[in-house]
Amino acid sequence: MDLRTSVGSLVLDNPCILASGIMDETGEGMARILRSGAAAAVSKSVGTNPNPGHANPNFIEEEGFCLNAMGLPNPGIEEYAGEMRTAAACGKVIGSVYASSPEEFADLAGRMEDYGACAVELNLSCPHAAGFGMEVGTDPLMVKRIVSAVKDAVSIPVWSKLTPNTHILKDIGKAVEDAGGDAIVAINTLRAMKIIPEFGRPFLSNRFGGLSGSAVRPVGVRAVYDLYSTVSIPIIGVGGICGYRDALEYIMAGACAVQIGTAVLSGTDIFRKVNGGLTDFMREYGYPTIGEMVGVAHE
Amino acid sequence: MDLRTSVGSLVLDNPCILASGIMDETGEGMARILRSGAAAAVSKSVGTNPNPGHANPNFIEEEGFCLNAMGLPNPGIEEYAGEMRTAAACGKVIGSVYASSPEEFADLAGRMEDYGACAVELNLSCPHAAGFGMEVGTDPLMVKRIVSAVKDAVSIPVWSKLTPNTHILKDIGKAVEDAGGDAIVAINTLRAMKIIPEFGRPFLSNRFGGLSGSAVRPVGVRAVYDLYSTVSIPIIGVGGICGYRDALEYIMAGACAVQIGTAVLSGTDIFRKVNGGLTDFMREYGYPTIGEMVGVAHE
Amino acid sequence: MNSIVTVTGKSDFGDICSLSFNWDITVGPGQFVMVWAPGMEEIPLSLSSVGDVKSVTFRIVGRDTEALRKKGIGDSLSIRGPYGNGYRTDGSRRVLVVGGGIGIAPILPLMADGFDTALAARNAGELDFALPAIGKAAGKTWISTDDGSRGFCGNAVQLVQEILKEQEYDEILACGPEVMLFFLHKFCVDNGMKCQMSLERHMKCGAGLCGSCMIDDKRVCADGPVFTCDEISGMKDFGHSKRDPCGTRVLFR
Amino acid sequence: MNSIVTVTGKSDFGDICSLSFNWDITVGPGQFVMVWAPGMEEIPLSLSSVGDVKSVTFRIVGRDTEALRKKGIGDSLSIRGPYGNGYRTDGSRRVLVVGGGIGIAPILPLMADGFDTALAARNAGELDFALPAIGKAAGKTWISTDDGSRGFCGNAVQLVQEILKEQEYDEILACGPEVMLFFLHKFCVDNGMKCQMSLERHMKCGAGLCGSCMIDDKRVCADGPVFTCDEISGMKDFGHSKRDPCGTRVLFR
Ligand SMILES: Cc1cc2nc3c(=O)[nH]c(=O)nc-3n(C[C@H](O)[C@H](O)[C@H](O)COP(=O)(O)OP(=O)(O)OC[C@H]3O[C@@H](n4cnc5c(N)ncnc54)[C@H](O)[C@@H]3O)c2cc1C
Ligand SMILES: Cc1cc2nc3c(=O)[nH]c(=O)nc-3n(C[C@H](O)[C@H](O)[C@H](O)COP(=O)(O)OP(=O)(O)OC[C@H]3O[C@@H](n4cnc5c(N)ncnc54)[C@H](O)[C@@H]3O)c2cc1C
Ligand SMILES: Cc1cc2nc3c(=O)[nH]c(=O)nc-3n(C[C@H](O)[C@H](O)[C@H](O)COP(=O)(O)O)c2cc1C
Ligand SMILES: Cc1cc2nc3c(=O)[nH]c(=O)nc-3n(C[C@H](O)[C@H](O)[C@H](O)COP(=O)(O)O)c2cc1C
Ligand code: FES
Ligand code: FES
């Protein structure tokens, strides 16, 4: 069984990538995940300036899902250089960036390339950061301009991470493809809220947050399925993957690789476990490569 | 403690309503739920002609959520007269209708009024019926035309049930309000999919379905919170309510009543249980009426 | 939650087929599952054995049962459930189990539990699938066929009348065509016997949500499929009408 | 999942406050919770008692601890957790527990378990909150203050050196300011003693996801907060630098 897969020109040892925002604020955090069996790690989404993110409370886990509103905390692109270099020395790192204009995106992406990123991931999808994320990522024209600007600025592959909080996901996917984007990552979290009745107010300091974990998997699989039927660039699936069968849902829906976030709660060995499960499954069901499984659910 | 609440001019004995599509294909099913403590029941969404819905499999329950693609099965508005009359004899019934044009919506709504419905609920949100539901309900202009046409045709309150599968929920809510809609119901299910790896294909015959149950509650609460800050007509909250604290999340987000669907899986006594829990909570936390709790999480 | 199980055994008896599989879930006699594989619609089937190895036994009556019969050892099936309440037996009553036609399949687990059993079918061939179970039965068994080609000549109700001449029972547990159950229920009511009967209606969710399987205000999938004598007595639809997949009421012939 | 608990007890000792509440969850000594109520930011606090009644004991150092101290009996708190690994004690080693300053709070459950304990503080007043626990301690207790106002005059490391003159131990379990732990760790390494130490970093999720609490490649919230002597020996950041809420590295003074 061969777990290797490729996202366009980028070849990965296995399909499992660390999702952005998970243990990746520091270079050593990413390095550890790379040692734990992930084929690559996506960095924390980094902006131009240092950002402490939203105040606590900004995270809660419930049965079946997590809600977070970290608010994109990061030390700023300048300071992040060291973290990227530490991580990139240990394996493949994808630099995630957020910005509010095409120029700023292009600038940040260029820095990530300089720092040794093997690809850049554009955060067009965070649901709880005013002026960023899905606020720029639900306008197909804006998305097109951002992707074009970044494509002009870097020579590494450009991935666009999209939001499921829209009825025009296919249009946005098309915009990415039209602008020359190299891959689409889907999904980011669902815009959500938790209220504490005893206090009569929202739990998260930011009120709104993003839903992740098992609960969003059926939405993510659907999004990947929808995109696969619309674009021909590679798709990376993410959202609620907790085991190999979840990863297979995404792969069969059309993803050539997957990202794992919330399931790191169950341990950093999740990457090894998923890869082990995939190997056994492929042996039992006669799939020689990951590629043979990509998109089969469309047949 | 007084559990009474009102949705505009409609006064309800308690805030718990049966959601559309649950045990309401028949009049006797709705009658049973009304006897089980629900203040009102929403009928199955009914269209002009008989519709067997999508083929089996069209439902699956997992931990924390259900996925369904019933495909709006119903005997057609003509045949449904008997069911409505049976149910309306036992209590308040809201007639849910689906259609693809303003005229058809108006026609169906008129029939529901004739049958004794105390309000009509426009299904602008089903995520798995081609040409209906969210396909008409994500275009604010179309929504406005539909609501206007129905308002002209009936004298009972007109509720619009909206989809969370969009980034323009507030615009749609505004369109409903502008057209004179009497209330907004949020949310319908999230468009979603489940793939069976061993078979390499989607489980649901329709491939796409709708996600319901606990998993969608944080999305529903957020939607109600967003709408409450946008419109001033009443809002009815629905999505993943399994207990009184879940109902309180919706009420405090801005809902004056709630609907319960998937939690009927746990028993038809869910309505009584939620009402009991609400009474105890209101006593302990000093809320004399439901109305005092509506929207408090915005303060 | 569905389970993907692998078929480990298969037997064919004319137009009746039985598939067995390992499925590590506790199931009671009378409970059912929703069975699916690509290429067919998902259908409800009762479990015809409920030990470590489970099985379903079905008559080929249409497209989906035809598709299911094509499955062989090693093939995968999607199984949702178990759903429904099953028969309640507490040992305090003398019980006679009655199965008619393919309705014999769901009562095979009761037979395996040692209850006395009456089996009725149109002809001898239609009973073949039950012969292995009859061979192993610890309780008494009686057989009737409409054409007399095996056992007593007559229908299920007539067979029960015969049995009650020689033996006393407090309760009847039954499964079979609704017309048989209708007359058996009437017989029980007339003779002051308790009964539990497994009913059928068109099923979609199987779990008690969609409301497509209603008889009056009861969901066959979740409140049943096994109902008591009293519950059935109150059902206006019983023996009278059912719902098609649109929810339209259809009268029995 | 957070729990909403009701404060059932409160004590104030100068700038140290203790709140107790009923919370029906199993917690081990050294584990912590994220505590919140409207009007404050959520903060990590170790449990200072882990029996049927739980408590947190905290020094007022800023806005959120100030807000928390305003809570009284009957008020509600949101509690997330318990998080972290806690101290591992298996009875096979002779253990000395060492607490410094507010770092005494997390080791009170160990004291309640009967372990011998050394408590160090700046002055007598800062030890007041521990007196009830010292009164009830089954194991030996030693005290030191920087100014000699109570017990031995000196810091925690000096106190430990004194204790080891009269008594043998295999392992030290400690909590306190990082500078104290730094020298205590060095002492353990130099003297071939095992140790476990509870560390602190800025926490957001508390659950091991967000990565804001990293020391080297370890998450203090999920891989710690209690680390072994060997783990700490490998930490370049220990006693040297921490991360601010942006993730920027900040050197200790
Ligand atoms: C609780 C329950 C348990 C059952 N157990 C058994 C069993 O153990 N063995 C067995 O042979 N049969 C059993 N049946 C009946 C079985 O489900 C049908 O024979 C089967 O669905 C026929 O499908 P088909 O496509 O082959 O035939 P079709 O040509 O589709 O239909 C033939 C007839 O089967 C019935 N049917 C079809 N689809 C459904 C459905 N979704 N739900 C209910 N009935 C349906 C209808 O009466 C229909 O007229 C059970 C039914 C129920 C409700
Ligand atoms: C695992 C753990 C257990 C702890 N247990 C206790 C305890 O039992 N008793 C006790 O008094 N204190 C404990 N603390 C420290 C406590 O969390 C801080 O004192 C508190 O957060 C200060 O908040 P503030 O707003 O009052 O002060 P601020 O003015 O906000 O900050 C004062 C200092 O507190 C620390 N701090 C602030 N916010 C955080 C945060 N989110 N995470 C970590 N540190 C923070 C920083 O060092 C900061 O410089 C613990 C910390 C951790 C990480
Ligand atoms: C704590 C946390 C922080 C996150 N931060 C980011 C981020 O900075 N950038 C981003 O693109 N996605 C971020 N995400 C979203 C994840 O990368 C992922 O898309 C989402 O959580 C769904 O996957 P999962 O269910 O496997 O977690 C974050 C998610 C969580 C839970
Ligand atoms: C089996 C099933 C059938 C449904 N049918 C309808 C329908 O006909 N019309 C409609 O507006 N919503 C329908 N819904 C959506 C529910 O009314 C409700 O909006 C949704 O399930 C979320 O609420 P819940 O989590 O309480 O179930 C259906 C949901 C389920 C699970
Ligand atoms: S089949 Fe859905 S309620 Fe019975
Ligand atoms: S606080 Fe988030 S990983 Fe430790």
Side-chain angles (χ1 to χ4, degrees), chain A residues 22-23 25-26 28-29 32 35 51-52 55-57 59-62 70 73-75 79 83 196 198-199 201 203 261 265, chain D residues 1-2 4 36 38 41-42 76 78 80 83 203-205 207-211 214 216-219 223 236 243 245-248:
Chain A
I22 312 297
M23 278 181 69
E25 203 163 291
T26 65
E28 294 202 75
R32 174 170 165 189
R35 286 193 303 272
N51 174 14
N56 284 4
F59 175 85
I60 189 162
E61 47 184 319
E62 306 243 337
M70 309 313 295
N74 76 95
E79 180 74 24
E83 314 298 343
I196 309 290
E198 291 78 4
F199 295 145
R201 66 187 60 205
F203 179 74
L265 279 179
Chain D
M1 196 71 170
N2 66 339
I4 307 300
W36 177 70
E41 291 189 18
E42 192 184 41
S76 297
S78 160
R80 279 202 294 133
Y83 292 121
M203 287 192 180
K204 293 184 173 182
C205 74
L209 265 195
C210 73
M214 309 286 291
D216 293 25
D217 67 352
K218 304 278 189 299
R219 298 161 300 179
D223 303 310
K236 296 183 303 299
R243 305 282 181 160
C246 302
T248 309

Coordinates of all heavy atoms in Angstrom, one line a residue, chain A residues 22-23 25-26 28-29 32 35 51-52 55-57 59-62 70 73-75 79 83 196 198-199 201 203 261 265, chain D residues 1-2 4 36 38 41-42 76 78 80 83 203-205 207-211 214 216-219 223 236 243 245-248:
Chain A
I22 N -3.7 24.8 15.1 CA -3.6 23.7 16.0 C -2.1 23.5 16.4 O -1.4 23.1 15.5 CB -4.2 22.4 15.5 CG1 -5.6 22.7 14.9 CG2 -4.2 21.3 16.5 CD1 -6.7 23.2 15.8
M23 N -1.7 23.8 17.6 CA -0.4 23.6 18.1 C 0.7 24.2 17.1 O 1.8 23.6 17.1 CB -0.1 22.1 18.2 CG -0.6 21.5 19.5 SD -0.3 19.8 19.8 CE 1.5 19.7 20.0
E25 N 1.4 27.6 16.8 CA 1.8 29.0 17.0 C 3.3 29.1 17.1 O 3.9 30.2 16.9 CB 1.1 29.5 18.3 CG 1.0 31.0 18.4 CD 0.0 31.4 19.5 OE1 -1.2 31.1 19.4 OE2 0.4 31.9 20.5
T26 N 3.9 28.0 17.4 CA 5.4 27.9 17.5 C 6.0 26.9 16.6 O 5.3 26.0 16.2 CB 5.8 27.6 19.0 OG1 5.4 26.2 19.2 CG2 5.2 28.5 20.0
E28 N 8.4 24.9 17.2 CA 8.6 23.6 17.8 C 7.3 22.7 17.9 O 7.3 21.5 17.9 CB 9.2 23.7 19.2 CG 10.6 24.3 19.1 CD 11.4 24.0 20.3 OE1 11.9 22.9 20.5 OE2 11.6 25.0 21.1
G29 N 6.1 23.4 18.0 CA 4.9 22.8 18.0 C 4.7 22.0 16.7 O 4.3 20.9 16.7
R32 N 7.0 19.0 16.3 CA 6.5 17.9 17.0 C 5.4 17.1 16.2 O 5.5 15.9 16.1 CB 5.9 18.3 18.3 CG 5.3 17.1 19.1 CD 4.9 17.5 20.5 NE 4.0 16.6 21.1 CZ 3.4 16.8 22.3 NH1 3.7 18.0 23.0 NH2 2.6 15.9 22.8
R35 N 7.0 15.2 13.5 CA 7.6 13.9 14.0 C 6.5 12.9 14.4 O 6.8 11.7 14.5 CB 8.4 14.3 15.2 CG 9.7 15.0 15.0 CD 10.6 15.0 16.2 NE 10.0 15.6 17.4 CZ 10.1 16.9 17.7 NH1 10.7 17.7 16.9 NH2 9.5 17.4 18.7
N51 N -0.8 40.1 17.0 CA -2.2 40.1 17.4 C -2.5 39.1 18.5 O -2.2 38.0 18.4 CB -3.1 39.7 16.1 CG -4.5 39.6 16.5 OD1 -5.0 40.0 17.5 ND2 -5.3 38.9 15.6
P52 N -2.9 39.7 19.7 CA -3.2 38.8 20.8 C -4.4 37.9 20.6 O -4.7 37.0 21.4 CB -3.3 39.7 22.0 CG -3.8 41.0 21.4 CD -3.2 41.1 20.0
A55 N -10.0 37.9 23.7 CA -9.8 37.6 25.1 C -10.4 36.2 25.5 O -11.3 35.8 24.8 CB -10.4 38.7 26.0
N56 N -9.9 35.6 26.5 CA -10.5 34.4 27.1 C -11.9 34.8 27.6 O -12.0 35.9 28.1 CB -9.7 33.9 28.2 CG -8.4 33.2 27.8 OD1 -8.1 33.1 26.6 ND2 -7.7 32.6 28.7
P57 N -12.9 33.9 27.6 CA -12.9 32.6 27.1 C -13.0 32.6 25.5 O -13.8 33.4 25.0 CB -14.1 31.9 27.7 CG -15.0 33.0 28.2 CD -14.1 34.2 28.4
F59 N -12.6 29.4 23.8 CA -12.6 27.9 23.4 C -13.5 27.1 24.3 O -13.5 27.4 25.5 CB -11.2 27.4 23.4 CG -11.2 25.9 23.1 CD1 -11.1 25.4 21.8 CD2 -11.2 24.9 24.1 CE1 -11.1 24.1 21.5 CE2 -11.2 23.6 23.9 CZ -11.1 23.2 22.6
I60 N -14.3 26.2 23.7 CA -15.0 25.3 24.6 C -15.2 24.0 23.8 O -15.4 24.0 22.6 CB -16.4 25.9 25.0 CG1 -17.0 25.0 26.1 CG2 -17.3 26.1 23.9 CD1 -18.1 25.6 26.9
E61 N -15.0 22.9 24.5 CA -15.3 21.6 23.9 C -16.6 21.0 24.4 O -16.9 21.1 25.6 CB -14.1 20.6 24.1 CG -13.7 20.6 25.5 CD -12.4 19.7 25.8 OE1 -12.3 18.6 25.2 OE2 -11.6 20.1 26.6
E62 N -17.4 20.4 23.6 CA -18.6 19.7 24.0 C -18.5 18.4 23.3 O -17.6 18.1 22.5 CB -19.8 20.5 23.5 CG -19.9 21.9 23.9 CD -21.0 22.3 24.8 OE1 -22.1 21.6 24.8 OE2 -20.9 23.3 25.5
M70 N -10.5 32.1 18.8 CA -9.1 32.5 19.1 C -8.9 33.9 18.6 O -8.2 34.7 19.3 CB -8.1 31.6 18.6 CG -8.3 30.1 18.8 SD -8.7 29.6 20.5 CE -7.2 30.1 21.4
P73 N -4.7 34.9 16.9 CA -3.5 35.4 17.6 C -2.2 35.0 16.8 O -2.2 33.8 16.3 CB -3.6 34.7 18.9 CG -4.3 33.4 18.7 CD -5.3 33.8 17.6
N74 N -1.3 35.8 16.7 CA 0.0 35.5 16.1 C 0.9 36.6 16.3 O 0.5 37.8 16.6 CB -0.2 35.3 14.6 CG -0.4 36.5 13.8 OD1 0.5 37.1 13.3 ND2 -1.6 37.1 13.8
P75 N 2.2 36.3 16.3 CA 3.2 37.4 16.6 C 3.5 38.3 15.5 O 4.4 39.2 15.6 CB 4.4 36.5 17.0 CG 4.3 35.3 16.2 CD 2.8 35.0 16.1
E79 N 8.1 38.5 13.2 CA 8.5 37.7 14.3 C 8.4 36.2 14.0 O 9.1 35.4 14.6 CB 7.6 38.1 15.5 CG 7.8 37.3 16.8 CD 9.1 37.7 17.5 OE1 9.6 38.9 17.3 OE2 9.7 36.9 18.3
E83 N 9.8 30.9 13.8 CA 9.0 29.7 14.0 C 9.0 28.9 12.7 O 9.1 27.7 12.7 CB 7.6 30.1 14.4 CG 7.4 31.2 15.5 CD 8.0 30.7 16.8 OE1 8.2 29.5 17.1 OE2 8.3 31.6 17.7
I196 N -24.7 30.7 27.7 CA -24.8 30.1 29.0 C -26.1 30.6 29.6 O -26.2 31.7 30.0 CB -23.6 30.4 29.9 CG1 -22.3 30.1 29.2 CG2 -23.7 29.6 31.2 CD1 -22.0 28.7 28.9
E198 N -27.5 30.2 32.5 CA -27.4 30.7 33.9 C -26.9 32.1 33.9 O -27.1 32.9 34.8 CB -26.5 29.7 34.7 CG -27.2 28.4 35.0 CD -27.1 27.4 33.8 OE1 -26.5 27.8 32.7 OE2 -27.6 26.3 33.8
F199 N -26.0 32.5 32.9 CA -25.5 33.8 32.9 C -26.2 34.7 31.9 O -26.0 35.9 31.9 CB -24.0 33.8 32.4 CG -23.1 33.1 33.4 CD1 -22.0 32.3 33.0 CD2 -23.3 33.2 34.8 CE1 -21.2 31.7 33.9 CE2 -22.4 32.6 35.7 CZ -21.4 31.8 35.3
R201 N -25.8 35.0 28.7 CA -25.0 35.7 27.7 C -24.1 34.7 27.0 O -23.9 33.5 27.5 CB -24.2 36.8 28.3 CG -23.2 36.3 29.3 CD -22.5 37.5 30.0 NE -23.6 38.3 30.7 CZ -23.5 39.6 30.9 NH1 -22.4 40.3 30.5 NH2 -24.4 40.2 31.6
F203 N -20.9 32.6 25.7 CA -19.7 32.1 26.4 C -18.5 32.8 25.9 O -17.6 33.2 26.6 CB -19.6 30.6 26.3 CG -18.4 30.0 27.0 CD1 -18.4 30.0 28.4 CD2 -17.3 29.6 26.3 CE1 -17.3 29.5 29.1 CE2 -16.2 29.1 26.9 CZ -16.2 29.0 28.3
G261 N -7.5 18.8 12.7 CA -7.4 19.9 13.7 C -7.8 19.4 15.0 O -7.1 18.9 15.8
L265 N -7.1 16.8 20.0 CA -7.5 16.7 21.4 C -7.3 15.3 21.9 O -7.1 15.1 23.1 CB -9.0 17.1 21.5 CG -9.4 18.5 21.6 CD1 -10.9 18.6 21.6 CD2 -8.8 19.2 22.8
Chain D
M1 N -16.6 20.8 27.6 CA -17.9 21.0 28.3 C -17.6 21.8 29.6 O -16.8 21.4 30.4 CB -18.5 19.6 28.7 CG -20.0 19.7 29.1 SD -21.0 20.0 27.6 CE -22.6 19.7 28.3
N2 N -18.3 22.9 29.7 CA -18.2 23.6 31.0 C -19.3 23.2 31.9 O -20.4 22.8 31.5 CB -18.1 25.1 30.8 CG -19.4 25.7 30.3 OD1 -20.2 24.9 29.7 ND2 -19.7 26.9 30.5
I4 N -21.6 24.7 35.2 CA -22.0 25.9 36.0 C -22.1 25.5 37.4 O -23.0 24.7 37.8 CB -23.3 26.5 35.5 CG1 -23.2 26.8 33.9 CG2 -23.5 27.9 36.2 CD1 -22.0 27.7 33.5
W36 N -14.4 30.9 34.8 CA -15.0 32.1 34.2 C -16.3 32.5 34.8 O -17.1 31.7 35.3 CB -15.2 31.9 32.7 CG -15.8 33.1 32.0 CD1 -15.2 34.3 31.8 CD2 -17.1 33.2 31.4 NE1 -16.1 35.2 31.1 CE2 -17.2 34.5 30.9 CE3 -18.1 32.3 31.3 CZ2 -18.4 34.9 30.2 CZ3 -19.3 32.7 30.7 CH2 -19.4 34.0 30.1
P38 N -19.2 36.1 33.9 CA -19.3 37.3 33.1 C -18.6 38.4 33.8 O -18.6 38.5 35.0 CB -20.8 37.6 33.1 CG -21.4 36.2 33.2 CD -20.5 35.5 34.1
E41 N -12.1 37.7 32.3 CA -11.5 36.8 31.3 C -11.4 35.4 32.0 O -11.3 35.4 33.2 CB -10.2 37.2 30.8 CG -10.3 38.5 29.9 CD -9.0 38.8 29.2 OE1 -8.1 37.9 29.1 OE2 -8.8 39.9 28.8
E42 N -11.5 34.4 31.2 CA -11.4 33.0 31.8 C -9.9 32.8 32.2 O -9.0 33.2 31.4 CB -11.8 32.0 30.7 CG -12.0 30.6 31.2 CD -12.4 29.7 30.1 OE1 -11.8 29.8 29.0 OE2 -13.2 28.8 30.3
S76 N -22.6 32.0 40.7 CA -22.3 30.9 39.7 C -21.0 31.1 39.1 O -20.6 32.2 38.8 CB -23.4 30.8 38.6 OG -24.7 30.5 39.2
S78 N -18.4 29.4 35.8 CA -18.2 28.4 34.7 C -16.9 27.8 34.9 O -15.9 28.4 35.1 CB -18.3 29.1 33.4 OG -17.6 28.3 32.4
R80 N -14.4 24.9 33.3 CA -14.0 23.9 32.2 C -12.9 23.0 32.7 O -11.9 23.5 33.3 CB -13.5 24.6 31.0 CG -14.6 25.2 30.1 CD -14.0 25.4 28.7 NE -13.0 26.4 28.7 CZ -11.8 26.3 28.0 NH1 -11.5 25.1 27.4 NH2 -11.0 27.3 28.0
Y83 N -8.3 19.8 33.5 CA -7.3 19.7 32.4 C -5.9 19.3 33.0 O -5.7 19.5 34.2 CB -7.2 21.0 31.7 CG -8.4 21.3 30.8 CD1 -9.1 22.5 31.0 CD2 -8.8 20.4 29.8 CE1 -10.2 22.8 30.2 CE2 -9.9 20.8 29.0 CZ -10.6 21.9 29.2 OH -11.7 22.2 28.5
M203 N -2.4 30.6 29.0 CA -3.3 29.6 28.5 C -4.6 30.2 27.9 O -5.1 31.2 28.4 CB -3.7 28.7 29.6 CG -2.6 27.8 30.0 SD -3.0 26.4 31.0 CE -1.4 25.7 31.2
K204 N -5.0 29.6 26.8 CA -6.2 30.0 26.1 C -7.2 28.9 26.1 O -8.1 28.9 26.8 CB -5.9 30.5 24.7 CG -5.1 31.8 24.7 CD -4.8 32.4 23.4 CE -4.1 33.8 23.5 NZ -3.9 34.4 22.2
C205 N -6.9 27.8 25.3 CA -7.9 26.7 25.2 C -7.8 25.9 26.5 O -8.8 25.3 26.9 CB -7.7 25.9 24.0 SG -6.2 24.8 24.0
A207 N -6.9 23.0 26.7 CA -7.2 21.6 26.3 C -6.2 21.0 25.4 O -6.3 19.8 25.1 CB -8.6 21.6 25.7
G208 N -5.1 21.7 25.0 CA -4.1 21.1 24.2 C -4.2 21.4 22.7 O -3.5 20.7 21.9
L209 N -5.1 22.3 22.3 CA -5.2 22.5 20.9 C -4.5 23.7 20.3 O -3.9 23.7 19.3 CB -6.7 22.7 20.5 CG -7.5 21.5 20.1 CD1 -8.8 22.0 19.5 CD2 -6.8 20.7 19.1
C210 N -4.6 24.9 21.0 CA -4.3 26.1 20.4 C -2.8 26.4 20.3 O -2.3 27.2 19.6 CB -5.0 27.3 21.1 SG -4.3 27.7 22.7
G211 N -2.0 25.8 21.2 CA -0.6 25.9 21.2 C -0.1 27.2 21.8 O 1.1 27.6 21.7
M214 N 2.9 26.7 24.9 CA 4.1 25.8 24.7 C 5.3 26.2 25.5 O 5.7 27.3 25.5 CB 4.4 25.7 23.2 CG 3.3 25.5 22.2 SD 2.7 23.8 22.1 CE 4.0 22.9 21.4
D216 N 9.0 24.8 24.7 CA 9.6 24.0 23.7 C 8.5 23.3 22.9 O 7.6 24.0 22.5 CB 10.6 23.0 24.2 CG 11.8 23.6 24.8 OD1 11.7 24.8 25.2 OD2 12.9 23.0 24.9
D217 N 8.5 22.0 22.8 CA 7.4 21.4 22.0 C 6.4 20.7 22.9 O 5.6 19.9 22.5 CB 8.0 20.3 21.0 CG 8.6 19.1 21.7 OD1 8.7 19.2 23.0 OD2 9.0 18.2 21.1
K218 N 6.4 21.1 24.2 CA 5.4 20.6 25.1 C 4.3 21.6 25.4 O 4.5 22.8 25.6 CB 6.0 20.3 26.5 CG 7.2 19.3 26.4 CD 6.8 17.9 26.4 CE 8.0 17.0 26.5 NZ 9.0 17.2 25.4
R219 N 3.0 21.1 25.4 CA 1.9 21.9 25.8 C 1.7 21.8 27.3 O 1.5 20.7 27.9 CB 0.6 21.4 25.2 CG 0.6 21.5 23.7 CD -0.5 20.5 23.1 NE -0.2 19.1 23.5 CZ -1.0 18.1 23.2 NH1 -2.1 18.3 22.5 NH2 -0.7 16.9 23.6
D223 N 0.2 18.3 28.0 CA 1.4 17.4 28.3 C 1.8 17.6 29.8 O 2.4 16.8 30.4 CB 2.6 17.7 27.4 CG 2.2 17.6 25.9 OD1 1.6 16.6 25.6 OD2 2.4 18.5 25.2
K236 N 14.6 24.1 26.8 CA 15.4 25.3 26.6 C 14.7 26.5 27.2 O 15.4 27.4 27.7 CB 15.7 25.5 25.1 CG 16.5 24.4 24.4 CD 16.9 24.7 23.0 CE 15.6 24.9 22.1 NZ 14.7 23.8 22.0
R243 N 5.9 32.8 26.3 CA 5.3 33.4 25.2 C 4.2 34.4 25.7 O 3.4 34.0 26.6 CB 4.6 32.4 24.3 CG 5.5 31.3 23.8 CD 6.3 31.7 22.7 NE 7.2 30.7 22.2 CZ 7.7 30.7 21.0 NH1 7.5 31.7 20.1 NH2 8.5 29.7 20.6
P245 N 0.6 36.6 24.8 CA -0.7 36.1 24.1 C -0.6 36.2 22.6 O -1.4 35.5 22.0 CB -1.8 37.1 24.7 CG -1.2 37.5 26.0 CD 0.3 37.7 25.8
C246 N 0.3 36.9 22.0 CA 0.5 36.8 20.5 C 1.3 35.7 20.1 O 1.4 35.3 18.9 CB 1.2 38.1 20.0 SG 0.3 39.6 20.4
G247 N 2.0 35.0 21.1 CA 2.9 34.0 20.7 C 4.4 34.5 20.6 O 5.3 33.7 20.2
T248 N 4.6 35.7 20.8 CA 5.9 36.3 20.8 C 6.7 35.8 22.0 O 6.2 35.8 23.1 CB 5.8 37.8 20.8 OG1 4.9 38.3 19.8 CG2 7.2 38.5 20.6

